[in-house]
Amino acid sequence: MRADVITVKGMSCEHCVKAVEDALAPLGAKGEVDLGAGTVKVTYNESSVSIETIREAIEEQGYETNA
């Protein structure tokens, strides 16, 4: 398992937290959102999913991630 922190712009409420967490779940990744910091700590199996795929899933929810 690997853990990375992704900066995510545009999150402002609990709905945002749920949207991000729900986007990661089908990928087998777990996200811990910190609204105050604007970050998501993502824990995932790097042999099953890439960080790029995780970023894309978050961006598909309408948020901007760091590259």
Side-chain angles (χ1 to χ4, degrees):
M1 295 298 273
R2 180 178 171 133
D4 287 311
V5 176
I6 300 172
T7 300
V8 181
K9 294 181 183 175
M11 298 185 304
S12 62
C13 63
E14 288 303 314
H15 172 76
C16 300
V17 172
K18 181 153 178 44
V20 170
E21 290 174 348
D22 288 352
L24 298 178
L27 303 176
K30 180 177 180 191
E32 295 177 37
V33 178
D34 183 335
L35 283 176
T39 60
V40 180
K41 180 180 178 185
V42 183
T43 305
Y44 62 101
N45 183 339
E46 60 190 323
S47 65
S48 299
V49 66
S50 69
I51 192 67
E52 290 82 16
T53 300
I54 290 170
R55 284 192 182 107
E56 288 171 5
I58 294 170
E59 290 170 359
E60 286 174 5
Q61 298 305 307
Y63 306 105
E64 184 180 331
T65 66
N66 61 336

